[in-house]
């Protein structure tokens, strides 16, 4: 059976209990990711060339923290502690960020754009596997803010001005995807019940393969948006 | 005439035109302060001992940036550019922050608490001198968020645990006020029309004296809240 045939079958999401403890844990993982994203975005903005860029990054970081607050409310309602969730799950995100520390402002912009999009894809794929009531929470977290338009415009302009930038930034984009996939798999491997929650509806191996295939396809589109790939 | 006699007379705020160009400029100054506060709070949070503290600082920083966004809307509506406003006015705030770089996490917490309060006082004093329609904007920017409760609780607990911390942190608090007053005066001296706007209602010298006297009195109360002074 091809992955695309699998993907066309609706997943039996309604069989998942909205109060499943694994949903709380999934939200706790995502919350730690938003916390890490807030601080990394601001740290990486130290390379920002001007105030225009500084404002755009502050806006993106603020949006990540708003997501944190939404998830913290959900996590608390489901009986987990947001602070303990950050303590427990931030390490894998810190490792991802350590493995993808940008060396130039353009690398930082590509990372901000790609990470924002990967997170949105990830939330989107997740929402399709979850009960309707939980789906709404995920949808509001991932709501498009248009904040990454700034990154897209600037990367496109930089490549137009200097086509030699295209090749190294394309490699950088591939590395960002590779590291994101690797680190996501680490989280899933460590949290069996979250893995089961996400991929219980499909034959597990195909479900995982489809998931990463969809994310990769969207990443390729985003690279094209940036004028890369 | 004593300053307190001056303070009891209502200022003739209604004589100020809500579209006065100096109001746009005042908002532009405040906006640059919020931008600087966002980045300094996050930078100074590198000393945060744990995730609980990291979350509290991210929450305060996010709130500063929300103020930035509100002021940016006002500044834009009044014909100025928010980015150019940051470029033009951030320097004096950066100088303030450079002059008050905390050396310990407790100094960072005292600074966060004191600066948050000083900013609220400043907005509050301002709002009384401005036309009613503008006052509402200032009031919404300064709205109490309760974000600095975290700083208060932690400083109080630290001093209770080690009373020797009281004296150096009290000196630190005095320095924070002194630098804030000095830097505010620099801004006002450089922007005659903003100075005129703020203190036109009262005999200028008394108006300025009252302003800083009120801010100092509230600062003393805040130091007491922290268990200092």
């Amino acid at each position: 059976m091809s992955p695309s045939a699998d993907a066309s079958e609706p997943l039996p999401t309604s069989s998942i209990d909205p109060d499943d403890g694994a949903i709380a844990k999934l939200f706790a993982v995502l919350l730690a990711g938003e916390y890490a994203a807030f601080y990394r975005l601001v740290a990486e903005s130290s390379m920002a060339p001007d105030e225009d860029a500084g404002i755009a990054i502050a806006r993106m970081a603020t949006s990540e923290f708003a997501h944190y607050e939404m998830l913290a409310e959900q996590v608390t309602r489901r009986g987990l502690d947001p602070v303990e969730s950050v303590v427990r799950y931030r390490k894998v995100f810190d490792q991802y960020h350590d493995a993808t520390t940008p060396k130039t402002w353009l690398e930082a912009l590509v990372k901000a754009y790609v990470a924002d999009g990967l997170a949105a894809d990830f939330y989107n794929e997740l929402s399709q596997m979850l009960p309707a009531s939980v789906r709404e929470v995920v949808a509001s977290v991932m709501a498009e803010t248009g904040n990454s338009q700034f990154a897209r415009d600037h990367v496109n302009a930089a490549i137009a001005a200097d086509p030699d930038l295209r090749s190294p930034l394309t490699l950088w984009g591939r590395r960002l995807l590779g590291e994101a996939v690797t680190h996501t798999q680490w989280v899933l491997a460590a949290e069996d019940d979250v893995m089961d929650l996400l991929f219980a509806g499909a034959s597990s191996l195909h479900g995982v393969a489809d998931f990463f295939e969809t994310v990769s396809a969207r990443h390729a589109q985003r690279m094209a948006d940036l004028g890369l790939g």
Side-chain angles (χ1 to χ4, degrees), chain A residues 3-171:
Chain A
S4 60
D6 267 345
S8 66
E9 288 168 25
L11 298 168
T13 56
S14 57
S15 67
I16 299 174
D17 177 359
D19 293 325
D20 190 318
I23 295 180
K25 203 186 269 189
L26 171 62
F27 284 171
V29 172
L30 298 176
L31 170 152
E34 299 288 0
Y35 176 90
F38 174 86
Y39 277 105
R40 286 303 170 126
L41 265 174
V42 177
E44 292 170 3
S45 80
S46 63
M47 290 181 287
D50 55 31
E51 284 80 358
D52 194 23
I55 291 163
I57 294 292
R59 193 169 282 139
M60 291 180 81
T62 298
S63 165
E64 306 290 3
F65 198 72
H67 297 169
Y68 168 90
E69 299 279 31
M70 271 189 273
L71 290 163
E73 197 193 317
Q74 288 293 322
V75 159
T76 303
R77 193 185 298 173
R78 289 161 191 276
L80 295 183
D81 181 71
V83 179
E84 283 170 22
S85 302
V86 173
V87 173
R88 178 158 183 182
Y89 296 113
R90 68 176 287 186
K91 198 175 163 192
V92 69
F93 294 100
D94 288 342
Q95 285 167 339
Y96 164 74
H97 288 294
D98 288 345
T100 59
T101 302
K103 288 192 189 60
T104 65
W105 172 238
L106 278 176
E107 285 188 358
L109 277 184
V110 171
K111 180 176 171 183
Y113 186 76
V114 163
D116 208 49
L118 280 174
D121 284 353
F122 193 77
Y123 284 133
N124 189 43
E125 287 298 302
L126 283 184
S127 75
Q128 294 172 30
M129 302 173 193
L130 297 172
S133 62
V134 180
R135 204 178 296 167
E136 283 163 27
V137 175
V138 174
S140 71
V141 170
M142 63 168 264
E144 275 301 322
T145 53
N147 288 337
S148 56
Q149 184 66 36
F150 175 88
R152 185 155 89 175
D153 293 347
H154 279 252
V155 174
N156 268 298
I159 291 170
D162 180 2
D164 287 349
L165 291 169
R166 185 192 303 266
S167 170
L169 286 177
T170 298
L171 287 176

